[in-house]
Structures are given as structure tokens and as C-alpha cells.
């Protein structure tokens, strides 16, 4: 069974408040968020990372076990094959994360 986590990051958009979301995220996610040209894109990237961390914590996976790699298309995936599958999407002020035991995908669009 898959679980869906949804979050509106609108309160983090003004005045660069999204930067607080970088705390505790993997270095690769932080670099990606900081490399965006638009602040809104940075906020969505950081928000997606934060929501993933929260969702995995809710699934009983501590941050220390949240080690990621990327597939050939650049999609993040767990380094360990026995870990759950997840999918991220973001659009506008919304970020979305699905977590499940089999491959899955989510997409959110305004």
C-alpha cells in the first residue's frame, strides 16, 4: 500500500524563509536547491527534500538510514534495494511525496 504526503510551502516563500528547510537535508539536495535560478524553484526543491525526510521518518526510517543515489534519469532512489520506493513532485506552492513497497510515481500540476 502506498501513502501520500502533501504539503503547501507557501509560508516559506517570502523573504527566503525556505532556507530553513535545508537544515538536515543531504548535501546533494541542498546544492540542488541552492543552484536554482528562481527562489520559488529553490523553495520547491528544498520543500520536496524536507517532505521526503518527514515521510520516511513517519515510515520508521531514521535520517541516518536515508542514503540516496540516482538512477540513469536522475531520479533519486535509496541506495539499499530493500528500502521502500518513493516519488516526489512539486508545482506552484505544493510538494507531493508518495512512499510504498513497489515502484510508483506521482505528479502534481497547477
Amino acid at each position: 500500500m502506498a501513502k501520500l504526503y502533501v504539503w503547501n510551502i507557501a509560508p516559506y516563500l517570502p523573504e527566503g524563509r525556505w532556507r530553513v528547510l535545508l537544515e538536515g537535508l543531504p548535501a546533494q539536495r541542498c546544492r540542488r536547491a541552492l543552484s536554482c535560478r528562481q527562489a520559488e524553484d529553490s523553495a520547491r526543491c528544498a520543500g520536496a527534500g524536507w517532505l521526503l525526510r518527514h515521510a520516511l521518518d513517519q515510515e520508521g526510517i531514521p535520517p541516518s538510514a536515508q542514503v540516496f543515489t540516482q538512477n540513469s534519469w536522475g531520479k533519486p532512489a535509496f541506495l539499499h534495494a530493500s528500502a521502500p520506493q518513493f516519488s516526489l513532485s512539486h508545482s506552484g506552492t505544493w510538494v507531493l511525496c508518495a512512499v510504498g513497497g513497489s515502484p510508483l510515481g506521482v505528479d502534481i500540476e497547477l
Side-chain angles (χ1 to χ4, degrees):
M1 178 173 85
K3 291 186 181 176
L4 188 63
Y5 297 84
V6 182
W7 186 33
N8 188 336
I9 60 167
Y12 292 91
L13 292 177
E15 303 170 12
R17 292 180 186 154
W18 62 269
R19 291 179 179 272
V20 72
L21 302 174
L22 297 174
E23 295 176 22
L25 294 183
Q28 182 179 16
R29 172 66 64 168
C30 291
R31 283 191 301 272
R32 185 173 172 199
L34 292 169
S35 71
C36 296
R37 292 183 183 177
Q38 302 293 322
E40 293 85 7
D41 293 331
S42 294
R44 283 188 282 272
C45 184
W50 188 93
L51 186 61
L52 174 61
R53 183 172 178 181
H54 171 76
L56 295 175
D57 185 54
Q58 295 297 306
E59 297 299 314
I61 302 167
S64 61
Q66 297 177 20
V67 181
F68 302 97
T69 187
Q70 289 184 344
N71 67 17
S72 58
W73 298 283
K75 180 182 177 186
F78 272 113
L79 186 60
H80 303 291
S82 63
Q85 301 287 313
F86 65 90
S87 181
L88 298 169
S89 182
H90 46 73
S91 183
T93 62
W94 293 95
V95 292
L96 179 66
C97 177
V99 179
S102 59
L104 46 79
V106 293
D107 188 31
I108 186 169
E109 296 183 25
L110 291 179

